[in-house]
Short mmCIF file of all heavy atoms in Angstrom, two decimals:
data_model
loop_
_atom_site.label_atom_id
_atom_site.label_comp_id
_atom_site.label_asym_id
_atom_site.label_seq_id
_atom_site.Cartn_x
_atom_site.Cartn_y
_atom_site.Cartn_z
N VAL G 138 105.59 111.27 121.59
CA VAL G 138 104.67 112.04 122.43
C VAL G 138 103.26 111.51 122.21
O VAL G 138 102.87 111.18 121.08
CB VAL G 138 104.75 113.55 122.14
CG1 VAL G 138 104.32 113.87 120.72
CG2 VAL G 138 103.91 114.34 123.13
N GLY G 139 102.52 111.39 123.31
CA GLY G 139 101.15 110.91 123.23
C GLY G 139 100.42 111.20 124.52
O GLY G 139 101.04 111.51 125.55
N ARG G 140 99.09 111.10 124.48
CA ARG G 140 98.29 111.40 125.66
C ARG G 140 98.23 110.23 126.64
O ARG G 140 97.95 110.42 127.81
CB ARG G 140 96.87 111.77 125.23
CG ARG G 140 96.80 113.14 124.58
CD ARG G 140 95.37 113.52 124.27
NE ARG G 140 95.25 114.92 123.94
CZ ARG G 140 94.10 115.53 123.70
NH1 ARG G 140 92.98 114.85 123.76
NH2 ARG G 140 94.06 116.81 123.40
N SER G 141 98.44 109.01 126.14
CA SER G 141 98.43 107.84 127.03
C SER G 141 99.75 107.11 126.90
O SER G 141 100.46 107.24 125.89
CB SER G 141 97.26 106.92 126.68
OG SER G 141 97.31 106.51 125.33
N GLY G 142 100.09 106.33 127.91
CA GLY G 142 101.37 105.64 127.94
C GLY G 142 101.49 104.58 126.87
O GLY G 142 100.53 104.17 126.25
N ILE G 143 102.71 104.16 126.63
CA ILE G 143 102.97 103.13 125.64
C ILE G 143 104.03 102.19 126.19
O ILE G 143 105.02 102.62 126.78
CB ILE G 143 103.42 103.78 124.29
CG1 ILE G 143 103.55 102.72 123.19
CG2 ILE G 143 104.71 104.56 124.46
CD1 ILE G 143 103.73 103.35 121.82
N SER G 144 103.80 100.90 126.03
CA SER G 144 104.72 99.89 126.56
C SER G 144 105.57 99.34 125.43
O SER G 144 105.04 98.77 124.47
CB SER G 144 103.93 98.77 127.23
OG SER G 144 104.80 97.77 127.71
N LEU G 145 106.88 99.51 125.54
CA LEU G 145 107.80 99.06 124.50
C LEU G 145 109.03 98.40 125.10
O LEU G 145 109.44 98.74 126.22
CB LEU G 145 108.26 100.24 123.64
CG LEU G 145 107.28 100.85 122.66
CD1 LEU G 145 107.91 102.07 122.02
CD2 LEU G 145 106.88 99.86 121.59
N LYS G 146 109.59 97.48 124.35
CA LYS G 146 110.87 96.91 124.71
C LYS G 146 111.96 97.65 123.94
O LYS G 146 111.74 98.14 122.85
CB LYS G 146 110.91 95.41 124.37
CG LYS G 146 109.91 94.58 125.18
CD LYS G 146 110.00 93.12 124.78
CE LYS G 146 109.01 92.28 125.59
NZ LYS G 146 109.06 90.84 125.21
N GLY G 147 113.13 97.72 124.53
CA GLY G 147 114.24 98.39 123.86
C GLY G 147 114.59 99.70 124.52
O GLY G 147 113.88 100.21 125.37
N GLU G 148 115.73 100.23 124.11
CA GLU G 148 116.23 101.46 124.71
C GLU G 148 116.41 102.56 123.67
O GLU G 148 117.14 103.52 123.89
CB GLU G 148 117.58 101.18 125.39
CG GLU G 148 117.48 100.14 126.51
CD GLU G 148 118.84 99.87 127.14
OE1 GLU G 148 119.85 100.38 126.63
OE2 GLU G 148 118.86 99.14 128.15
N ASN G 149 115.71 102.42 122.53
CA ASN G 149 115.91 103.39 121.45
C ASN G 149 114.89 104.53 121.48
O ASN G 149 114.82 105.31 120.54
CB ASN G 149 115.81 102.68 120.09
CG ASN G 149 114.39 102.23 119.78
OD1 ASN G 149 113.72 101.65 120.63
ND2 ASN G 149 113.93 102.47 118.56
N TYR G 150 114.12 104.63 122.55
CA TYR G 150 113.08 105.65 122.55
C TYR G 150 112.94 106.32 123.92
O TYR G 150 113.29 105.78 124.95
CB TYR G 150 111.73 105.05 122.15
CG TYR G 150 111.06 104.26 123.25
CD1 TYR G 150 110.09 104.85 124.07
CD2 TYR G 150 111.42 102.94 123.50
CE1 TYR G 150 109.50 104.14 125.09
CE2 TYR G 150 110.83 102.22 124.51
CZ TYR G 150 109.86 102.82 125.30
OH TYR G 150 109.28 102.13 126.33
N LYS G 151 112.39 107.53 123.86
CA LYS G 151 111.97 108.24 125.06
C LYS G 151 110.53 108.69 124.83
O LYS G 151 110.20 109.20 123.74
CB LYS G 151 112.86 109.45 125.33
CG LYS G 151 112.46 110.24 126.57
CD LYS G 151 113.40 111.41 126.82
CE LYS G 151 112.97 112.19 128.07
NZ LYS G 151 113.87 113.35 128.32
N PHE G 152 109.68 108.49 125.82
CA PHE G 152 108.26 108.83 125.67
C PHE G 152 107.89 110.02 126.54
O PHE G 152 108.22 110.07 127.72
CB PHE G 152 107.39 107.62 126.06
CG PHE G 152 105.91 107.87 125.85
CD1 PHE G 152 105.36 107.76 124.59
CD2 PHE G 152 105.09 108.22 126.91
CE1 PHE G 152 104.01 107.99 124.38
CE2 PHE G 152 103.74 108.47 126.72
CZ PHE G 152 103.19 108.34 125.44
N ILE G 153 107.21 110.99 125.93
CA ILE G 153 106.69 112.15 126.64
C ILE G 153 105.18 112.02 126.71
O ILE G 153 104.50 112.03 125.68
CB ILE G 153 107.04 113.47 125.92
CG1 ILE G 153 108.55 113.62 125.76
CG2 ILE G 153 106.47 114.66 126.68
CD1 ILE G 153 108.94 114.79 124.87
N LYS G 154 104.64 111.85 127.91
CA LYS G 154 103.20 111.80 128.08
C LYS G 154 102.69 113.21 128.30
O LYS G 154 102.81 113.77 129.39
CB LYS G 154 102.83 110.89 129.26
CG LYS G 154 101.33 110.67 129.42
CD LYS G 154 101.03 109.73 130.57
CE LYS G 154 99.52 109.54 130.74
NZ LYS G 154 99.21 108.63 131.87
N ASN G 155 102.12 113.78 127.25
CA ASN G 155 101.68 115.16 127.33
C ASN G 155 100.75 115.48 126.18
O ASN G 155 100.57 114.66 125.27
CB ASN G 155 102.88 116.12 127.32
CG ASN G 155 102.65 117.35 128.17
OD1 ASN G 155 101.59 117.98 128.10
ND2 ASN G 155 103.63 117.70 128.99
N ASP G 156 100.19 116.65 126.21
CA ASP G 156 99.29 117.13 125.17
C ASP G 156 100.07 118.00 124.20
O ASP G 156 100.84 118.86 124.62
CB ASP G 156 98.15 117.93 125.83
CG ASP G 156 97.02 118.19 124.87
OD1 ASP G 156 97.28 118.57 123.73
OD2 ASP G 156 95.85 118.00 125.27
N LEU G 157 99.86 117.81 122.90
CA LEU G 157 100.57 118.61 121.91
C LEU G 157 100.29 120.10 122.04
O LEU G 157 101.10 120.93 121.63
CB LEU G 157 100.19 118.15 120.50
CG LEU G 157 100.99 117.00 119.90
CD1 LEU G 157 100.44 116.63 118.55
CD2 LEU G 157 102.47 117.35 119.79
N ALA G 158 99.13 120.43 122.61
CA ALA G 158 98.81 121.84 122.78
C ALA G 158 99.75 122.54 123.76
O ALA G 158 99.89 123.77 123.74
CB ALA G 158 97.37 121.99 123.26
N ASN G 159 100.43 121.75 124.59
CA ASN G 159 101.35 122.31 125.60
C ASN G 159 102.80 122.23 125.12
O ASN G 159 103.67 121.73 125.82
CB ASN G 159 101.19 121.56 126.92
CG ASN G 159 99.77 121.60 127.44
OD1 ASN G 159 99.10 122.63 127.35
ND2 ASN G 159 99.30 120.49 127.98
N LEU G 160 103.06 122.73 123.94
CA LEU G 160 104.39 122.65 123.35
C LEU G 160 105.45 123.27 124.24
O LEU G 160 106.57 122.74 124.35
CB LEU G 160 104.40 123.33 121.98
CG LEU G 160 105.75 123.41 121.25
CD1 LEU G 160 106.30 122.01 120.97
CD2 LEU G 160 105.62 124.20 119.95
N GLU G 161 105.13 124.35 124.91
CA GLU G 161 106.12 125.04 125.74
C GLU G 161 106.64 124.15 126.87
O GLU G 161 107.76 124.34 127.34
CB GLU G 161 105.52 126.33 126.32
CG GLU G 161 105.25 127.42 125.30
CD GLU G 161 106.53 127.82 124.55
OE1 GLU G 161 107.59 127.93 125.22
OE2 GLU G 161 106.47 128.02 123.33
N ASN G 162 105.82 123.17 127.28
CA ASN G 162 106.22 122.29 128.39
C ASN G 162 107.32 121.32 128.02
O ASN G 162 108.02 120.81 128.89
CB ASN G 162 105.01 121.51 128.91
CG ASN G 162 103.98 122.40 129.57
OD1 ASN G 162 104.25 123.56 129.86
ND2 ASN G 162 102.80 121.86 129.81
N TRP G 163 107.47 121.04 126.71
CA TRP G 163 108.46 120.03 126.34
C TRP G 163 109.26 120.39 125.09
O TRP G 163 109.94 119.54 124.52
CB TRP G 163 107.79 118.66 126.15
CG TRP G 163 106.44 118.68 125.48
CD1 TRP G 163 105.23 118.85 126.07
CD2 TRP G 163 106.18 118.54 124.09
NE1 TRP G 163 104.22 118.81 125.13
CE2 TRP G 163 104.77 118.60 123.91
CE3 TRP G 163 106.98 118.34 122.96
CZ2 TRP G 163 104.16 118.50 122.67
CZ3 TRP G 163 106.38 118.23 121.72
CH2 TRP G 163 104.98 118.31 121.59
N ARG G 164 109.24 121.65 124.69
CA ARG G 164 110.00 122.05 123.51
C ARG G 164 111.51 121.88 123.71
O ARG G 164 112.23 121.55 122.76
CB ARG G 164 109.66 123.48 123.10
CG ARG G 164 110.03 124.56 124.08
CD ARG G 164 109.60 125.93 123.54
NE ARG G 164 110.32 126.24 122.30
CZ ARG G 164 109.82 127.03 121.34
NH1 ARG G 164 108.61 127.54 121.47
NH2 ARG G 164 110.54 127.29 120.27
N GLU G 165 111.99 122.07 124.96
CA GLU G 165 113.43 121.89 125.20
C GLU G 165 113.85 120.45 124.98
O GLU G 165 114.97 120.20 124.50
CB GLU G 165 113.78 122.33 126.62
CG GLU G 165 113.74 123.84 126.84
CD GLU G 165 114.23 124.23 128.21
OE1 GLU G 165 114.77 123.35 128.92
OE2 GLU G 165 114.10 125.42 128.57
N GLN G 166 112.97 119.51 125.30
CA GLN G 166 113.31 118.10 125.08
C GLN G 166 113.44 117.79 123.59
O GLN G 166 114.29 117.00 123.18
CB GLN G 166 112.24 117.20 125.71
CG GLN G 166 112.18 117.31 127.23
CD GLN G 166 111.10 116.42 127.81
OE1 GLN G 166 111.21 115.19 127.77
NE2 GLN G 166 110.05 117.03 128.35
N ILE G 167 112.61 118.42 122.77
CA ILE G 167 112.71 118.23 121.32
C ILE G 167 113.98 118.90 120.79
O ILE G 167 114.69 118.34 119.96
CB ILE G 167 111.47 118.81 120.60
CG1 ILE G 167 110.20 118.18 121.14
CG2 ILE G 167 111.56 118.54 119.09
CD1 ILE G 167 108.93 118.77 120.55
N GLU G 168 114.26 120.08 121.27
CA GLU G 168 115.48 120.79 120.84
C GLU G 168 116.72 119.98 121.18
O GLU G 168 117.65 119.85 120.37
CB GLU G 168 115.55 122.17 121.48
CG GLU G 168 114.51 123.14 120.95
CD GLU G 168 114.52 124.46 121.70
OE1 GLU G 168 114.99 124.48 122.85
OE2 GLU G 168 114.05 125.46 121.14
N ASP G 169 116.75 119.41 122.38
CA ASP G 169 117.90 118.59 122.80
C ASP G 169 118.00 117.33 121.95
O ASP G 169 119.10 116.87 121.62
CB ASP G 169 117.77 118.21 124.28
CG ASP G 169 117.94 119.40 125.20
OD1 ASP G 169 118.47 120.44 124.75
OD2 ASP G 169 117.52 119.31 126.37
N PHE G 170 116.87 116.76 121.59
CA PHE G 170 116.84 115.55 120.76
C PHE G 170 117.29 115.85 119.34
O PHE G 170 117.90 115.02 118.67
CB PHE G 170 115.43 114.97 120.76
CG PHE G 170 115.27 113.70 119.97
CD1 PHE G 170 115.86 112.51 120.40
CD2 PHE G 170 114.51 113.67 118.81
CE1 PHE G 170 115.71 111.34 119.68
CE2 PHE G 170 114.35 112.50 118.08
CZ PHE G 170 114.95 111.34 118.52
#
Side-chain angles (χ1 to χ4, degrees):
V138 63
R140 288 185 167 184
S141 57
I143 187 169
S144 178
L145 286 175
K146 295 180 180 179
E148 299 179 353
N149 70 314
Y150 76 97
K151 179 178 180 181
F152 184 80
I153 303 171
K154 186 178 179 181
N155 214 314
D156 193 315
L157 273 177
N159 303 320
L160 176 61
E161 291 302 318
N162 293 348
W163 39 273
R164 64 181 297 152
E165 288 186 9
Q166 295 180 68
I167 304 176
E168 290 174 338
D169 291 343
F170 182 69

